[in-house]
Amino acid sequence: MLRLRLGPADLCRVRFTDGLHPVGTALLACQVLYDAEAVRMAPGPAAGAAAATGRARSAASVLRHLLPVRGRLPDFLTPLDGMESVAAGLEAIRAVPVQRVRAEVAAAYAQLPATPLRRRFAEADGETMSLFGRALDTWHDAVLAPHWADLTDAHRHQVAEATGHLAAHGLDGLLNTLHPAIRWEAPTLTVRTWWSATVSGNGHGLLLLPSPLAGPHPRVLVEPGQPVLVVYPAPMPRRVEASAVDPLGRLLGVTRAAVLRRLARPGRHTTTTLGRAVGISVSSASEHAGALRAAGLVSSVRDGGAVLHRLTSLGTDLLGHDDVPPAVAPDVGLLP
C-alpha cells in the first residue's frame, strides 16, 4: 500500500496527462496483454499480442525476458519525457544515468533467476540496451500502433468523463472515484499498488493517467522535480472496442486505415500530428500518407515548414458515413 501525502501546492496542480506515452504504454502492455483481464480491458491490442508472429514474436520474447512478468517496472523505463514518439521515449531512457539503471534493474531482478542477458541489461550494457530498444520499437509497431488511435480515443473519453465528475463533485469526489484501489482522505491518497511506502508530494502536482493497459493495479511514479504520476486501470469504452474487427484495416492494413480515419477527424493534420495521433514515427506517417495520396484518398499541401493532409472525396467515400463526421468537408482535388 502506498500512502501519498499531498500538500496545497500539489492539490493546486492536479491534472491529466495530454495523452498516452508510447514507450511507457508499450512496456506496461508487454506485461499485461497476456493476462485474461486484458482481453476485457483492451481487446484489440490483446488480440494483436496473441497473434504476433515473426519479428514481433521475437521482440516480445526479448522484452518479456528482460522485464518482470508482473509487478513494478524499473521507474526509468516509464519516463515522463519523450511522449512524442517511441524514438523520443527511447532517447529519454538512454539519457538516464548508468548508476540509476543498474540500481533499478537489480532491484527488479531480485526475485528472478540470473541469465546472461539479464546480467548485461542490469549492467546497462550498450548492445543489450540497443537490443531492448529495437525489440520495443518492433513490438510497439506490430501490436500497439494498429490500435493507437483507439487507445488515444479511449484516453480522451476517460479524461472527459473524469473532468465532468470533477466539475460536478469537486476534487474529493474525483479522487475517490478514479479506481477502487485509490482512496482519498485529505491529505493522503492511498493507492493499492505494487510497492509500499509513505511518501510526500514535492509540490509539482499530481498527474493522472487512465489506461486500459495499466494492469490489475494502479502504478505510481515518484521522481524528484516531477509531478507524481498515477496510472490507473480504465477499460476501453464499448464504442472503441467495436473497432477490434475492422474490414477497412484488412483492406489497407490496420496502421494505414488508422491514418485515414485520423484525417476524418476535425483539426489541422500535419505529418507530425498524424504520427503522434496514430502512435508511429514521423517518417512512417509520411510513408503512409504518401501511399494514401498515391491512391487518391488523401491530398497534401505544404504550409511553411509543415505538410498538411486532407481527405479527398474518394477517401471520404471509402470511409463511409460511420467514420466521417458531418462537419468534415473532403478535399476535391489531389495536390502534389
Side-chain angles (χ1 to χ4, degrees):
M1 194 78 72
L2 178 72
R3 292 174 176 82
L4 176 63
R5 300 187 187 279
L6 299 174
D10 297 303
L11 294 175
C12 288
R13 299 176 181 177
V14 176
R15 58 198 188 278
F16 289 88
T17 61
D18 291 336
L20 298 171
H21 195 298
V23 166
T25 303
L27 289 171
L28 293 179
C30 192
Q31 275 193 330
V32 308
L33 279 183
Y34 299 91
D35 188 90
E37 179 69 2
V39 176
R40 182 183 73 82
M41 298 285 278
T53 59
R55 292 179 63 219
R57 191 169 194 171
S58 298
S61 297
V62 169
L63 294 173
R64 287 175 63 78
H65 183 77
L66 291 177
L67 302 174
V69 175
R70 289 174 62 83
R72 185 179 180 183
L73 291 168
D75 286 345
F76 79 93
L77 291 177
T78 53
L80 291 177
D81 295 330
M83 283 192 63
E84 311 92 272
S85 63
V86 172
L90 289 173
E91 186 61 33
I93 289 174
R94 283 192 288 269
V96 174
V98 170
Q99 295 84 349
R100 179 183 170 188
V101 174
R102 290 173 176 169
E104 292 186 3
V105 174
Y109 285 173
Q111 306 300 322
L112 296 177
T115 66
L117 188 60
R118 285 175 178 159
R119 286 194 187 98
R120 292 195 295 272
F121 192 54
E123 284 299 312
D125 170 71
E127 288 187 9
T128 306
M129 297 301 287
S130 294
L131 172 67
F132 167 81
R134 291 193 301 272
L136 179 67
D137 191 40
T138 297
W139 195 83
H140 178 280
D141 280 354
V143 175
L144 287 191
H147 304 280
W148 195 254
D150 285 347
L151 289 167
T152 299
D153 283 350
H155 173 265
R156 289 174 178 163
H157 174 86
Q158 296 292 349
V159 169
E161 282 198 344
T163 51
H165 198 85
L166 172 65
H169 303 285
L171 186 59
D172 286 358
L174 170 68
L175 295 178
N176 272 316
T177 54
L178 293 175
H179 188 268
I182 300 174
R183 284 292 173 263
W184 167 248
E185 187 173 345
T188 302
L189 190 72
T190 302
V191 185
R192 190 168 67 250
T193 184
W194 295 104
W195 53 293
S196 298
T198 298
V199 297
S200 296
N202 53 22
H204 290 273
L206 181 67
L207 197 55
L208 302 172
L209 171 55
S211 172
L213 300 172
H217 302 305
R219 313 273 185 149
V220 183
L221 177 64
V222 181
E223 291 194 88
Q226 298 279 9
V228 176
L229 175 66
V230 177
V231 184
Y232 61 94
M236 296 179 79
R238 289 188 180 277
R239 64 179 179 81
V240 174
E241 289 176 15
S243 66
V245 178
D246 180 15
L248 186 63
R250 291 198 295 269
L251 175 66
L252 298 178
V254 284
T255 304
R256 195 157 293 170
V259 170
L260 192 67
R261 285 195 172 101
R262 178 55 50 177
L263 290 171
R265 309 290 173 86
R268 183 176 184 269
H269 301 294
T270 68
T271 307
T272 299
T273 60
L274 272 179
R276 187 178 302 164
V278 180
I280 55 179
S281 67
V282 174
S283 60
S284 182
S286 178
E287 178 184 345
H288 285 298
L292 293 170
R293 185 168 58 248
L297 303 175
V298 168
S299 68
S300 305
V301 62
R302 183 164 293 281
D303 180 24
V307 176
L308 301 180
H309 307 284
R310 294 186 65 191
L311 286 179
T312 63
S313 297
L314 182 60
T316 303
D317 291 342
L318 180 62
L319 285 174
H321 295 295
D322 290 341
D323 278 322
V324 180
V328 174
D331 193 1
V332 296
L334 179 64
L335 300 179

